[in-house]
């Protein structure tokens, strides 16, 4: 499976404009997001960090089309998802977003290959093509030789690599990873971050939601949230992964715009 930069050239993969999210009413109102504005271009690698209550989980749910904003607009690969029906949102989640979760979310007693095939099955792809694409995705993350293994036969790091392969198999516009190293030891964490480094070097657009500074440091761009707002949005130097060139910029991005 060739790894190419997806999304339309010249158009941001993600364009968030004055996004707000309000829960409750009256004295019980909670303003989780207070006018978030940012863009993410094709091929960018972004880490979003913030303490508990900063709004990062709410933002992740909206970016992943798992929740809707109270106000504002969210364009994903040019599609204004804030105006879609539930059925249309389900299609967007399947076709435009590749999810990687902290808990892996693999189906037990099912092979790695079958787990990776699952999004393609939902999309109606024929079995022979599903198998070919799933094997290519597993090869991409270095697990082609574990295709017939079930999750309980794999280490935590290997399970997360299967989850990454599943996220990639639909050729999504955006890979969205929520605390992807939260359940991993330091060695497995480095393995997964190296996979992300390599995917991004090949043109994949990646957003990581994390509370771990060492994970945020690997991204090319770091966005910090505080009280539902973008406190800082900065380009940063990041260490090169194995065989990858170093990145150099450290240019602040004012106002949250790319």
């Amino acid at each position: 499976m060739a790894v190419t930069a997806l999304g339309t050239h010249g158009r941001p993969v993600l364009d968030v404009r004055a996004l707000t999210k309000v829960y409750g009413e009256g004295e019980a109102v909670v303003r989780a997001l207070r006018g978030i504005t940012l863009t993410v271009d094709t091929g960018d690698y972004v880490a979003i960090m913030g303490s508990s209550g900063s709004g990062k989980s709410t933002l992740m749910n909206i970016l992943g089309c798992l929740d809707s904003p109270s106000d504002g607009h969210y364009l994903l690969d040019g599609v204004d998802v804030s105006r879609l029906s539930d059925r249309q949102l389900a299609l967007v989640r399947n076709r435009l977003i590749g999810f990687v979760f902290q808990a892996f979310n693999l189906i037990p007693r099912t092979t790695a290959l079958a787990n990776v095939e699952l999004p393609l099955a939902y999309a109606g792809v024929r079995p022979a093509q599903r198998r070919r694409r799933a094997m290519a995705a597993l090869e991409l993350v270095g697990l082609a030789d574990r295709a017939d293994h079930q999750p309980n036969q794999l280490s935590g790091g290997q399970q997360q690599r299967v989850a990454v392969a599943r996220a990639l198999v639909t050729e999504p516009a955006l890979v969205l990873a929520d605390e992807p190293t939260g359940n991993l030891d330091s060695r497995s964490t480095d393995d997964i971050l190296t996979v992300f480094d390599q995917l991004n070097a090949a043109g994949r657009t990646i957003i990581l939601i994390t509370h771990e500074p060492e994970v945020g440091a690997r991204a090319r761009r770091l966005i910090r949230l505080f009280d539902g707002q973008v406190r800082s949005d900065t380009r940063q130097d990041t260490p090169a992964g194995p065989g990858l060139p170093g990145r150099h910029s450290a240019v602040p991005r004012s106002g949250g715009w790319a």
Side-chain angles (χ1 to χ4, degrees):
M1 179 172 61
V3 183
T4 56
L6 301 180
T8 303
H9 181 69
R11 181 174 67 195
V13 170
L14 183 151
D15 187 353
V16 171
R17 306 174 184 176
L19 213 63
T20 66
K21 182 65 178 181
V22 179
Y23 298 101
E25 297 179 354
E27 294 183 359
V29 70
V30 175
R31 302 186 185 280
L33 297 180
R34 303 169 180 258
I36 298 284
T37 293
L38 58 91
T39 60
V40 175
D41 294 328
T42 299
D44 209 349
Y45 184 4
V46 181
I48 298 177
M49 296 187 68
S51 60
S52 178
S54 64
K56 70 178 188 298
S57 294
T58 300
L59 180 60
M60 191 281 295
N61 286 336
I62 292 175
L63 297 183
C65 300
L66 302 170
D67 197 1
S68 300
S70 300
D71 200 4
H73 295 278
Y74 169 32
L75 281 73
L76 176 61
D77 205 26
V79 177
D80 189 348
V81 298
S82 54
R83 300 187 182 280
L84 299 184
S85 67
D86 288 345
R87 181 178 177 278
Q88 290 170 323
L89 284 173
L91 290 173
V92 166
R93 286 193 295 270
N94 181 261
R95 298 176 184 177
L96 295 184
I97 305 172
F99 290 97
V100 181
F101 298 101
Q102 178 177 345
F104 318 142
N105 288 6
L106 301 180
I107 299 174
R109 296 181 295 282
T110 302
T111 66
L113 182 65
N115 269 282
V116 176
E117 284 186 44
L118 196 59
L120 299 178
Y122 287 146
V125 177
R126 293 181 178 179
Q129 186 181 5
R130 289 203 309 259
R131 182 180 178 86
R132 177 180 60 78
R133 289 173 61 177
M135 281 299 299
L138 284 169
E139 184 175 356
L140 197 63
V141 300
L143 279 183
D145 62 339
R146 298 289 191 271
D148 294 330
H149 287 57
Q150 297 181 7
N152 65 359
Q153 298 171 311
L154 301 172
S155 69
Q158 288 172 333
Q159 289 184 61
Q160 192 62 296
R161 278 193 276 163
V162 172
V164 172
R166 182 183 57 194
L168 295 171
V169 76
T170 59
E171 297 277 335
L174 173 68
V175 175
L176 183 60
D178 182 22
E179 301 283 1
T181 61
N183 285 341
L184 303 179
D185 59 30
S186 59
R187 180 173 178 177
S188 296
T189 290
D190 190 65
D191 286 346
I192 289 298
L193 293 178
T194 297
V195 169
F196 283 134
D197 288 342
Q198 293 168 340
L199 292 172
N200 179 247
R204 292 285 175 178
T205 308
I206 300 171
I207 295 181
L208 300 179
I209 309 295
T210 183
H211 70 279
E212 301 175 85
E214 62 272 23
V215 175
R218 291 287 282 265
R220 298 169 63 182
R221 176 180 170 195
L222 180 61
I223 296 174
R224 293 185 182 275
L225 301 185
F226 182 76
D227 281 353
Q229 297 178 305
V230 174
R231 168 171 276 188
S232 64
D233 185 348
T234 310
R235 287 283 175 194
Q236 57 185 9
D237 290 335
T238 59
L244 297 177
R247 302 173 178 131
H248 305 283
S249 54
V251 178
R253 306 165 75 90
S254 61
W257 285 99

